[in-house]
Amino acid sequence: MFCLEHERKVGNDWVVQYGSRWLQIEAQQQTPVSAGNTVVIREHRDRSLTLLLHSKVLKWHELSERPKKLAALPRRRVVMRPKPAPQHPWRRSIQGGPKR
């Protein structure tokens, strides 16, 4: 049987891009799939696709559009304040202060 084979990486959201198509891998699989795995996409003569991981066929469906990226959480700004000098009043001990 004649078919074209292409390797693709699985994204963090279990989506594989093949040309302008977005293929969502189903969560329930006999073979466990994780992000970063390399899958083989077979394009048959009738233009149908088969996804394989370690020679096991995967269940998938095609998405109508590109998946939306999640908004990044805002980063917290950490302000580093300079340390007071050794002669700063905050560093003087209460007992060692001037006598009245």
Side-chain angles (χ1 to χ4, degrees), residues 11-76:
N12 291 337
D13 51 0
W14 289 12
V15 174
V16 177
Q17 182 180 2
Y18 181 67
S20 61
R21 300 169 75 176
W22 299 92
L23 312 175
Q24 176 73 58
I25 298 173
E26 300 287 334
Q28 299 295 330
Q29 299 287 337
Q30 291 180 353
T31 304
V33 180
S34 59
N37 282 7
T38 302
V39 296
V40 175
I41 301 174
R42 286 186 180 166
E43 184 176 356
H44 303 280
R45 294 176 107 182
D46 62 352
R47 309 291 283 170
S48 65
L49 300 177
T50 304
L51 270 65
L52 301 165
L53 177 66
H54 308 299
S55 301
K56 305 280 184 177
V57 177
L58 299 176
K59 298 176 193 171
W60 61 277
H61 65 273
E62 188 169 353
L63 299 175
S64 59
E65 61 183 23
R66 182 180 185 161
K68 303 276 189 258
K69 288 187 178 181
L70 297 176
L73 296 175
R75 290 190 175 192
R76 289 181 49 192

